[in-house]
Amino acid sequence: MSEKKVNFILGRGDSLTLPVAYQNRDGRSEPPYTWDAQRAYLTPLLKKQAEDMARLPSEACPEDQAVSVITLHPQYLSRSAFPDKLLREFNLRLIGSKPVKVRPRAGRGSDSADGAASTALFVAGTRTAFKNLAAGAPKVASEDKAFADLLKLENVAVLTSADRIMGKIASERAEALEVVVHFDSFTDFEWEAELLQYAKDVGVTLDPDRNYQTRGLLFLPGFGDARAAKRLAQFSFVRAIRPMPKLRVLEKPAVLRAATRASHVFLPSETAIDPDCAVAVFDGGLREDHPFGLWARNIEPNDADNIGKPIASLQDHGTAVTSAVLFGHVESGHQPRPYCSVDHYRVLGTNTNDRSLYSVMLYVDRILSQSNYSFANFSIGPYEVAGDDLVTAWTSMLDDHLGSSDLLATVAVGNDGNEPWPHCRVMVPSDSVNAVAVGASDTQGEDWKRASYSSIGPGRHPGTVKPDVMYFGGVEEDPFRFVFPGPVIAEDYGTSYATPAVMRIAAGLRAYFGSSLSPLAIRALLLHCASPGEQHRDEVGWGAIPNDISEIAVCPDGSVRVLYQGKLKPGKVLRASIPLPAEQLSGDVSITATFCYTCTTDPHTPGDYTRAGLEVTFRPHSQKFEKDPLFPKPSSFFKRYDRSQEQDLRIDAHKWDTVLHNRATKRATCMNRSSMSTIWRGGRGIPIARAMRRTSRTHLW
């Protein structure tokens, strides 16, 4: 009997790419208002804003600066419509933004009761500059550079204390607070001391030594009551004040129990398959008697990290998570050889209560900054659901690392899927656009469903598809099982265990393919091979990850997976060919494509969070044209890209998401030297294309 031919992933797909020119399209449209109507509307608003700013306490306006909220008309949602000329004309600067819904007086969205998606800009300047804006804007002439920008405005108003208070802060006692401040280290450092003094004067204690600074925002832990927080919220550059979230694992600790079935396990005697590959696990530490000495090491924090002493229940949780990275879901008997080793950083202890959330985050930040890991796992995080209008410190920190390095992180989405909305939404920092957010399924079989406790999406824009993937996390009737000291089998269930099990699959791909697969390529393969099932995407993301690595590494009969890896400069276009046989095919061809890239982010502008946008055009036949002979006729693939309006692309954040995934079926006779043309607005990318002929088992190379 002849041996069955095994077809592995076809690498170096980037050799099938070539640069092409950019086909520009003019997206300009007529303004929704005449200048006379806009001037009559804006003049009293600008005048009132200047008067409100004049009444602000001088100590709350560092260097006499105030902050305005300028809301754009929904027609001017695109980044190219930013009113930069208006701001320069009146010596104002953008310090942030947030997504909003607006029902304008006319134009797009005016006929909808709910309005339309738009952007609110946070703009800073001296109170004199805003006074000049109120006086000068009505006199702007049509030939002035700022004229067109004034037609884009739908509303202007002062940012108030009520706008800055988020969540319910206790009034009868002081509590831990999180204070978010608009802050540019090059521009605003001169008034940092004024902020600390003002906070002290109004009764809020800030801790400047445990802050986290990212692009445009400064996150500070504080302590105070509702009255003091309201007074601090008058400070011009404060973006938000809210109760400090707790850590998830502290709020709902794991309850581990011995397995009720036979639990004899035999561990391998060899080291990891790839001993040079180490996964950084951030959790509660390892038990002293853990049985993973050949493959895992427990790394304790220093006293200065303020984590405290180990806690037995949290060490149990960390031991279970480490077992899942090494062995996955275990059964009795001999266990497989681990793919990788584990560096387990204990980040939880006797000092990690709600007031020390920043201690944990800053410790993780320091480890990631000082190391060179390719893989990291987070089964912990703040007990805080993702939101659209404000990015948290944890998400900002994680995206800062993942967007600028070759690091793949898996993050648990949380176990509150049974709670009412919005408490059932995915937890921070699984809303990171550069991370793989993992939910839990109820079985390893093909008839899997979302485990009822697994938190659901959508994620925060633009990463609306969260969780990214699902994996078996156990349920009460069929729990997840792991190796415990003895060695014996213990069991529990939760996204805490599905997440490291996915990391095990990722590490296995690295162990077998080596450095030829970057962490980003592995992420793309995981998403590409996920099976979506029949549930809504908000519940299961792109679907369940295969249990067997061979289902990812080996192509099914009649198909080929082609991996494209590379970088593309902003504004450039790359055309990636889809390999097909030389002979003419018959029947249908099924094509699945996944585009995955990482990019830097702007936490101070959550409506425009990612710095890279991606547009993909599928051209199935190289000899069929519309007008330009350089650009073959396009065909729908990522269906939402068929929408011509920036507004529609932004509503679902499709244009700026770091992952695009879809499948389409085409008649073979309609395909000839097919390709996908990709234009990046910055960032890095890895597309994957898979072609499958449904009517034959001919291998497509």
Side-chain angles (χ1 to χ4, degrees), residues 595 597 613-618 635-645 648-649 652-657 659-662 678-679:
F595 287 80
Y597 64 96
L614 181 66
E615 297 181 46
V616 181
T617 304
F618 176 45
S635 177
S636 62
F637 195 93
F638 296 105
K639 295 181 180 179
R640 287 178 285 184
Y641 271 93
D642 294 339
R643 302 178 183 178
S644 59
Q645 301 293 340
D648 294 326
L649 298 178
D652 53 19
H654 190 63
K655 186 174 182 178
W656 304 100
D657 201 343
V659 174
L660 300 178
H661 175 85
N662 209 351
T678 309
I679 177 170

Side-chain angles (χ1 to χ4, degrees), residues 278-282 325 343 364 368 373-379 398 402 406-411 435-436 499-500 503:
V279 175
V281 170
F282 298 94
V325 174
D343 286 346
V364 172
L368 293 179
Y373 289 105
S374 295
F375 303 99
N377 183 85
F378 295 87
S379 292
L398 199 54
L402 301 180
D406 291 323
L407 172 64
L408 174 65
T410 47
V411 186
V436 177
T499 303
M503 176 53 70

Side-chain angles (χ1 to χ4, degrees), residues 450-468:
R450 177 183 68 88
S452 60
Y453 59 79
S454 183
S455 296
I456 66 173
R460 188 190 48 76
H461 288 220
T464 54
V465 180
K466 296 289 181 181
D468 289 283

Side-chain angles (χ1 to χ4, degrees), residues 334-549:
H334 292 275
Q335 302 306 309
R337 185 180 176 187
Y339 296 120
C340 62
S341 60
V342 170
D343 286 346
H344 189 120
Y345 290 90
R346 185 173 67 81
V347 298
L348 304 174
T350 53
N351 292 345
T352 51
N353 51 43
D354 58 346
R355 292 194 64 182
S356 62
L357 178 70
Y358 271 48
S359 295
V360 178
M361 181 190 68
L362 294 174
Y363 179 37
V364 172
D365 176 54
R366 180 172 66 81
I367 297 303
L368 293 179
S369 298
Q370 296 176 355
S371 58
N372 192 31
Y373 289 105
S374 295
F375 303 99
N377 183 85
F378 295 87
S379 292
I380 63 168
Y383 193 74
E384 181 176 18
V385 297
D388 295 320
D389 61 346
L390 187 67
V391 181
T392 64
W394 271 79
T395 300
S396 300
M397 180 272 293
L398 199 54
D399 270 328
D400 283 347
H401 287 287
L402 301 180
S404 58
S405 66
D406 291 323
L407 172 64
L408 174 65
T410 47
V411 186
V413 298
N415 299 327
D416 278 1
N418 288 318
E419 298 295 323
W421 181 264
H423 307 291
C424 59
R425 196 172 181 181
V426 295
M427 295 280 184
V428 171
S430 66
D431 59 335
S432 162
V433 297
N434 292 314
V436 177
V438 182
S441 62
D442 62 350
T443 180
Q444 296 189 90
E446 294 183 358
D447 58 344
W448 63 272
K449 293 182 176 60
R450 177 183 68 88
S452 60
Y453 59 79
S454 183
S455 296
I456 66 173
R460 188 190 48 76
H461 288 220
T464 54
V465 180
K466 296 289 181 181
D468 289 283
V469 296
M470 309 293 285
Y471 198 83
F472 177 64
V475 290
E476 188 170 3
E477 300 79 14
D478 182 17
F480 191 97
R481 294 185 289 278
F482 27 77
V483 178
F484 245 45
V488 297
I489 292 179
E491 57 187 25
D492 195 16
Y493 55 90
T495 57
S496 288
Y497 314 120
T499 303
V502 170
M503 176 53 70
R504 175 177 177 268
I505 300 294
L509 290 170
R510 168 56 68 88
Y512 284 125
F513 287 96
S515 59
S516 60
L517 287 185
S518 68
L520 184 56
I522 292 173
R523 176 190 176 196
L525 280 168
L526 293 175
L527 304 183
H528 186 76
C529 297
S531 174
E534 298 180 355
Q535 297 180 82
H536 194 277
R537 185 163 292 172
D538 281 351
E539 293 195 19
V540 300
W542 302 115
I545 294 292
N547 299 317
D548 193 336
I549 288 181

Side-chain angles (χ1 to χ4, degrees), residues 221-244:
F223 197 71
D225 57 21
R227 181 173 177 274
K230 184 177 180 180
R231 295 180 64 190
L232 177 59
Q234 289 185 308
F235 194 85
S236 294
F237 287 90
V238 168
R239 171 71 174 260
I241 302 176
R242 55 194 176 188
M244 180 69 75

Side-chain angles (χ1 to χ4, degrees), residues 49-50 52-68 90-93 123-132 188 190-191 194 234-237:
Q49 175 179 259
D52 290 343
M53 288 179 174
R55 288 192 288 268
L56 294 174
S58 58
E59 59 271 19
C61 300
E63 300 178 332
D64 200 42
Q65 296 183 87
V67 174
S68 168
F90 291 97
N91 295 317
L92 303 174
R93 64 185 175 100
V123 175
T126 64
R127 289 188 282 188
T128 300
F130 284 106
K131 184 177 180 180
N132 293 338
D188 301 319
E190 294 182 350
W191 53 257
E194 295 181 47
Q234 289 185 308
F235 194 85
S236 294
F237 287 90

